Amino acid sequence: MSIAMPIKAENSIKIKIRELNKDFRTSFGTHTAIKPITLDIRRGEFFVIVGPSGCGKTTLLRILAGLETATAGTVQIEQGDSKRPQNALVFQEESIFPWMTVAQNVGYGLDNRRVPAHERNERVQFWVDKVGLTRFRNVYPHQLSGGMKQRVSLARAFATDPEVLLMDEPFSALDEQNKTILHQELLRIWEETQKTVVFITHSLDEAIILGDRIMLMTASPGEVRDIMNVPFARPRKVLEIRADHKYGELQARMGSQLHEEIEKVRAQEGKQK
């Protein structure tokens, strides 16, 4: 059984995963979602996970968040400031509260942690300004675009100053224009905070634009197929990266491997018919 345990800061490792496995019991028997994974994620690293649908990406993220318990193996997260939350999770779907204003949503986690009112107000204002929503701080979500709602989600996550930021396809529902804008926004904020981020996506473009390293998972049951270093220095500009020949080479490498894993999924589905 796995539990998230603190570890002392050493060798710049923030998250240490050892032989992590996850099984689910179903009416058809035991389903293995994740085969044993061993992995180190460095402190301050932007680590991206890609893989075919159903490979266990979100299950792995939920284990890191403490929302799921692994069947075997361990997850250790370096203990920093005990006053900070261990993690914050940004979901794929909109997760802000419709009855709260932008400022109230951003301050929700701070309220739960009983941060003093003056500090809470300062931090809310800082992050509302940081994501470009100053004029909308007293607006309700139904008056915001999809991209603006995700800005609120980002601000709320960063406002609590978590040890690790966990992101589950947060931009997948956005159009390409809004997605590019938020990629650049997230890069700017991350480069300022150097937060440890674990980011799930189906988009190879998004993985390259954002990540320091990319882990590609196999078809279910998910395990590590490849881990790739992203060869672009920071700070980054999204449009410049896409024009670089190394971008195309890395995307082709990932695309080829991902295609093979998707074909495995299709073959498995064909056998079940």
Side-chain angles (χ1 to χ4, degrees), residues 150-174:
Q150 283 302 74
R151 287 172 184 258
V152 176
S153 295
L154 285 177
R156 182 170 65 188
F158 276 102
T160 61
D161 194 22
E163 295 282 338
V164 177
L165 184 60
L166 306 171
M167 307 184 77
D168 189 3
E169 298 192 73
F171 308 137
S172 62
L174 301 179

Side-chain angles (χ1 to χ4, degrees), residues 64-85:
L64 294 178
L67 301 177
E68 293 276 359
T69 302
T71 305
T74 60
V75 173
Q76 296 176 289
I77 299 177
E78 175 206 316
Q79 182 65 55
D81 186 346
S82 61
K83 295 180 181 179
R84 294 162 58 190

Side-chain angles (χ1 to χ4, degrees), residues 156-214:
R156 182 170 65 188
F158 276 102
T160 61
D161 194 22
E163 295 282 338
V164 177
L165 184 60
L166 306 171
M167 307 184 77
D168 189 3
E169 298 192 73
F171 308 137
S172 62
L174 301 179
D175 59 58
E176 286 304 312
Q177 181 179 358
N178 270 311
K179 194 179 293 186
T180 297
I181 291 170
L182 281 180
H183 285 164
Q184 197 65 65
E185 192 72 21
L186 178 57
L187 284 172
R188 180 179 63 82
I189 295 172
W190 178 84
E191 284 157 4
E192 292 175 3
T193 63
Q194 293 294 293
K195 191 74 62 184
T196 304
V197 177
V198 182
F199 189 103
I200 287 177
T201 182
H202 277 96
S203 168
L204 304 185
D205 170 77
E206 191 167 62
I208 298 170
I209 292 296
L210 298 176
D212 290 314
R213 284 191 300 158
I214 302 167

Side-chain angles (χ1 to χ4, degrees), residues 21-259:
N21 166 265
K22 178 62 179 179
D23 295 332
F24 289 101
R25 293 180 181 177
T26 73
S27 57
F28 302 101
T30 300
H31 168 69
T32 299
I34 300 174
K35 294 179 73 173
I37 288 177
T38 293
L39 175 69
D40 287 334
I41 297 174
R42 296 185 289 265
R43 185 164 51 250
E45 183 173 27
F46 202 121
F47 191 85
V48 180
I49 302 173
V50 298
S53 296
C55 72
K57 300 185 298 294
T58 295
T59 298
L60 177 57
L61 200 74
R62 288 176 61 83
I63 292 172
L64 294 178
L67 301 177
E68 293 276 359
T69 302
T71 305
T74 60
V75 173
Q76 296 176 289
I77 299 177
E78 175 206 316
Q79 182 65 55
D81 186 346
S82 61
K83 295 180 181 179
R84 294 162 58 190
Q86 191 172 76
N87 64 73
L89 184 58
V90 180
F91 295 95
Q92 175 180 352
E93 66 274 7
E94 295 170 8
S95 57
I96 59 177
F97 301 114
W99 60 88
M100 291 184 179
T101 65
V102 166
Q104 289 169 338
N105 267 290
V106 173
Y108 179 75
L110 301 175
D111 288 337
N112 283 347
R113 296 183 64 79
R114 299 186 178 181
V115 173
H118 70 281
E119 181 183 347
R120 175 201 176 279
N121 293 337
E122 287 179 359
R123 288 167 71 173
V124 167
Q125 187 63 55
F126 177 84
W127 284 105
V128 168
D129 293 345
K130 183 69 71 176
V131 298
L133 292 176
T134 305
R135 293 190 299 114
F136 302 91
R137 60 169 289 124
N138 295 317
V139 166
Y140 288 90
H142 74 273
Q143 298 170 289
L144 303 175
S145 68
M148 294 167 76
K149 290 175 185 177
Q150 283 302 74
R151 287 172 184 258
V152 176
S153 295
L154 285 177
R156 182 170 65 188
F158 276 102
T160 61
D161 194 22
E163 295 282 338
V164 177
L165 184 60
L166 306 171
M167 307 184 77
D168 189 3
E169 298 192 73
F171 308 137
S172 62
L174 301 179
D175 59 58
E176 286 304 312
Q177 181 179 358
N178 270 311
K179 194 179 293 186
T180 297
I181 291 170
L182 281 180
H183 285 164
Q184 197 65 65
E185 192 72 21
L186 178 57
L187 284 172
R188 180 179 63 82
I189 295 172
W190 178 84
E191 284 157 4
E192 292 175 3
T193 63
Q194 293 294 293
K195 191 74 62 184
T196 304
V197 177
V198 182
F199 189 103
I200 287 177
T201 182
H202 277 96
S203 168
L204 304 185
D205 170 77
E206 191 167 62
I208 298 170
I209 292 296
L210 298 176
D212 290 314
R213 284 191 300 158
I214 302 167
M215 179 175 80
L216 193 144
M217 294 180 67
T218 66
S220 180
E223 59 184 325
V224 179
R225 167 157 178 166
D226 196 1
I227 296 180
M228 292 152 276
N229 292 315
V230 178
F232 299 112
R234 298 184 186 274
R236 294 177 181 173
K237 293 184 179 180
V238 173
L239 297 181
E240 290 181 4
I241 288 175
R242 287 176 177 153
D244 193 303
H245 72 92
K246 290 181 288 187
Y247 169 91
E249 291 170 359
L250 183 54
Q251 189 174 56
R253 173 180 168 183
M254 285 197 297
S256 175
Q257 295 184 71
L258 188 59
H259 176 73

